[in-house]
Amino acid sequence: MARIRAISFDLDDTLWPSRPVLESAERVFQQKALELAPKLAEHYPAEALREHRLALLKQQPALRHQISEWRRLSLELALRDCGYGEQSPEIAAEVFTHFIAARQNVQLFQHVEEVLRTLSERFLLVSLTNGNADLRMHPCSRHFHACIKAEDIGISKPDPAAFHAALAAAGCAKGELLHIGDHPRDDIDGAQGAGLTSIQALMPGIGREKHTGAHGHFADWRELPTLIEQVENTR
């Protein structure tokens, strides 16, 4: 089998814990929305606004591949319901700008930076995320050859086409790309469906179920280089 030439990485709950940054960004979203549109609270308290987003997704399922637009459009429609009329797009855009800035305030798991630096000396690294964190805004992006978001390519993991985008970005064949991520369905099942080898991140505090179909598992980033070597030697 061909040697591994490239590695694709999921982001949320693989490079960093997602819950703290998502909760913080959600607070920013709510605060800014109420600051710019006080009437929103009367009709759409936080939970109602979330239910409104979910209802919109049922109506327009393609938005699951465009999560930034999904959030922005849902807020715009809620604002129109509250009587903000033609101001709604502008208000929604400003609120989202503050949300997405807060969304980037991630804290890497321990040892991520040093391990990425080591791996980048041997492999092409590509990020592949369904989320809207923008790796290009983070210092560790210097270790990556390409950064791919579902909303940029219009398709989400576990669809094989998402992994095919990573293959294309790395310029390699299926047998030459290893995928690393935490999610049993999106990352491990998705990688298998695309014909890729995979390693599952099981970081402390995340609570992911172990997927026995992965070719390896790690809970400490320092374990990863050795684990990759073991995967290479058993392929």
Side-chain angles (χ1 to χ4, degrees), residues 135-151:
L135 186 65
R136 293 166 294 190
M137 297 181 66
H138 302 282
C140 69
S141 65
R142 65 182 177 272
H143 304 303
F144 284 79
H145 174 71
C147 304
I148 302 171
K149 295 191 293 181
E151 57 188 17

Side-chain angles (χ1 to χ4, degrees), residues 208-225:
R208 285 296 186 211
E209 180 181 351
K210 186 175 183 179
H211 193 306
T212 58
H215 296 80
H217 307 83
F218 69 98
D220 184 320
W221 267 74
R222 290 172 296 184
E223 303 167 352
L224 192 52

